[in-house]
Amino acid sequence: IAGITQAPTSQILAAGRRMTLRCTQDMRHNAMYWYRQDLGLGLRLIHYSNTAGTTGKGEVPDGYSVSRANTDDFPLTLASAVPSQTSVYFCASSEAGGITEAFFGQGTRLTVV
Amino acid sequence: AQSVTQLDSQVPVFEEAPVELRCNYSSSVSVYLFWYVQYPNQGLQLLLKYLSGSTLVKGINGFEAEFNKSQTSFHLRKPSVHISDTAEYFCAVSPGGSYIPTFGRGTSLIVHP
């Protein structure tokens, strides 16, 4: 089934540890995004990529990094996790950026303790 | 910069009653507008979108929305809700040509029997 796959689905992580959230899409979409969802704050953009080889910072990029080596993959790395990074993380993609709808993965629930 | 305001964080309603979820945006350029729905423990999925043309847009599951440029609004409506419509609803806006959609904080629709 075409779409976006995120892994893991959930994770408990010790503070200070490094963690990479994986995101793969098979729709050949140019644009990809990482959002975090927190109660009462909705979805906040962490990083985005308009096309393979380029990335940009969103609203809340501190403590996170991304790479876009190819069209399909857009991993999100927490270099040294902190409790405030406890959240649900969603990866999304769209064919032509903001003029087409975004397709979302099922999310990764991350708890930093 | 654009912003999206969803005026109600929570909307309780009885089954078979009509509902309106409000969304206002601010942008100095033309925009593309979207409504997404998120069922518990799932990612977001598209309900409907406005790109151009008719200001009344029909989506899935009997939902519709009306674009009002003068009031910068894109309210979502359904004439008769079902228990299964209980979910989180997000309004999103993309300024013309932008690759980055901005999401509102979400409205929790709670349908009571």
Side-chain angles (χ1 to χ4, degrees):
Chain A
I1 299 177
I4 292 187
T5 302
Q6 290 185 237
T9 55
S10 66
Q11 181 76 45
I12 298 174
L13 185 68
R17 297 295 295 269
R18 180 184 179 90
M19 173 80 187
T20 295
L21 308 185
R22 299 185 298 280
C23 174
T24 300
Q25 53 111 350
D26 60 4
M27 298 173 283
R28 308 300 293 172
H29 285 170
N30 286 317
M32 296 188 75
Y33 316 90
W34 274 105
Y35 291 90
R36 59 177 290 174
Q37 183 177 23
D38 303 287
L39 192 63
L41 298 178
L43 290 167
R44 293 183 292 168
L45 183 67
I46 304 171
H47 285 285
Y48 66 94
S49 169
N50 290 340
T51 188
T54 69
T55 62
K57 293 181 178 180
E59 181 185 354
V60 288
D62 294 342
Y64 306 95
S65 63
V66 292
S67 62
R68 187 89 184 274
N70 55 61
T71 297
D72 299 342
D73 301 299
F74 192 45
L76 175 73
T77 296
L78 289 67
S80 179
V82 294
S84 62
Q85 292 178 310
T86 293
S87 185
V88 181
Y89 292 86
F90 286 99
C91 180
S93 72
S94 66
E95 183 176 1
I99 65 172
T100 56
E101 65 265 33
F103 291 80
F104 283 79
Q106 294 297 295
T108 294
R109 184 174 296 274
L110 180 67
T111 302
V112 182
V113 297
Chain B
Q2 72 280 0
S3 67
V4 180
T5 302
Q6 291 184 242
L7 297 163
D8 306 296
S9 59
Q10 199 173 83
V11 174
V13 64
F14 286 106
E15 195 173 18
E16 298 183 6
V19 70
E20 178 180 83
L21 307 183
R22 297 180 292 170
C23 173
N24 287 85
Y25 67 92
S26 65
S27 176
S28 59
V29 298
S30 60
V31 295
Y32 303 109
L33 297 158
F34 306 84
W35 275 99
Y36 291 85
V37 60
Q38 182 183 32
Y39 298 106
N41 299 313
Q42 294 187 26
L44 281 70
Q45 59 187 82
L46 183 72
L47 264 182
L48 49 79
K49 61 185 177 184
Y50 171 80
L51 302 182
S52 65
S54 173
T55 58
L56 182 63
V57 180
K58 293 189 183 297
I60 63 171
N61 300 339
F63 284 93
E64 63 181 33
E66 186 157 18
F67 170 56
N68 188 317
K69 187 175 182 180
S70 63
Q71 296 187 6
T72 61
S73 67
F74 191 55
H75 299 335
L76 181 71
R77 303 186 184 98
K78 186 170 182 178
S80 176
V81 295
H82 301 287
I83 295 288
S84 59
D85 292 322
T86 294
E88 192 84 11
Y89 292 79
F90 291 93
C91 181
V93 59
S94 297
S98 169
Y99 275 83
I100 306 169
T102 297
F103 287 81
R105 294 191 172 190
T107 296
S108 178
L109 176 63
I110 302 169
V111 182
H112 297 287

